């Protein structure tokens, strides 16, 4: 339907919102290898320390609820990218994640 052909945000429940620093540190931990990052103190465009997706439209118009908490979603993202980096068959990795996702009930 044309009425749904517009921008949508899908993200964690509001109770799962975290700072950008928290997300970076979680991803670093999930990567599992010795990873390093440092804050760029140069002149850069402003970026908020806290980013938030407004998923209210998806909740109200689609009755959508997230199935993954933020920490699990980040772990799955790290696992997917590590599998890609290791040269695994990404179709199989993706299908396995979809199957695992389909077995989860929505978060409240």
């Amino acid at each position: 339907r044309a009425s749904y052909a517009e921008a949508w945000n899908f993200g964690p429940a509001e109770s799962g919102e975290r700072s950008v620093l928290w997300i970076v540190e979680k991803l670093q931990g999930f990567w599992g290898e010795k990873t390093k990052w440092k804050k760029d103190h140069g002149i850069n465009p402003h970026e908020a320390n806290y980013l938030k997706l407004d998923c209210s439209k998806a909740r109200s118009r689609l009755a959508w609820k997230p199935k993954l908490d933020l920490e699990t979603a980040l772990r799955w993202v790290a696992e997917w990218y590590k599998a890609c980096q290791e040269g695994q068959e990404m179709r199989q990795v993706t299908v396995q994640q979809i199957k695992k996702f389909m077995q989860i009930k929505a978060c409240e």
Side-chain angles (χ1 to χ4, degrees):
R1 292 177 132 192
S3 62
Y4 292 99
E6 53 193 73
W8 296 86
N9 285 327
F10 299 93
E14 288 185 21
S15 62
E17 294 168 355
R18 300 289 184 262
S19 69
V20 173
L21 177 61
W22 185 92
I23 292 170
V24 169
E25 289 176 344
K26 279 294 177 185
L27 285 169
Q28 182 179 25
F30 291 141
W31 199 258
E33 299 171 12
K34 292 182 181 179
T35 58
K36 294 181 182 180
W37 68 274
K38 67 179 184 174
K39 186 174 182 177
D40 180 355
H41 292 286
I43 299 172
N44 298 297
H46 171 72
E47 180 64 80
N49 290 322
Y50 186 84
L51 304 174
K52 178 182 175 184
L53 287 175
D54 180 359
C55 304
S56 60
K57 181 170 74 170
R59 282 193 307 271
S60 66
R61 292 181 50 196
L62 302 175
W64 174 83
K65 294 180 184 178
K67 284 189 169 189
L68 299 178
D69 59 75
L70 180 58
E71 191 165 340
T72 301
L74 293 173
R75 184 173 6 93
W76 287 20
V77 166
E79 289 171 357
W80 192 94
Y81 277 100
K82 280 186 79 170
C84 184
Q85 185 180 43
E86 293 166 356
Q88 294 185 33
E89 170 52 52
M90 294 313 296
R91 184 179 191 286
Q92 182 180 356
V93 171
T94 302
V95 167
Q96 288 299 343
Q97 281 193 341
I98 291 169
K99 285 180 181 179
K100 189 165 48 169
F101 176 82
M102 296 303 291
Q103 294 174 355
I104 298 172
K105 293 182 181 180
C107 297
E108 293 301 323

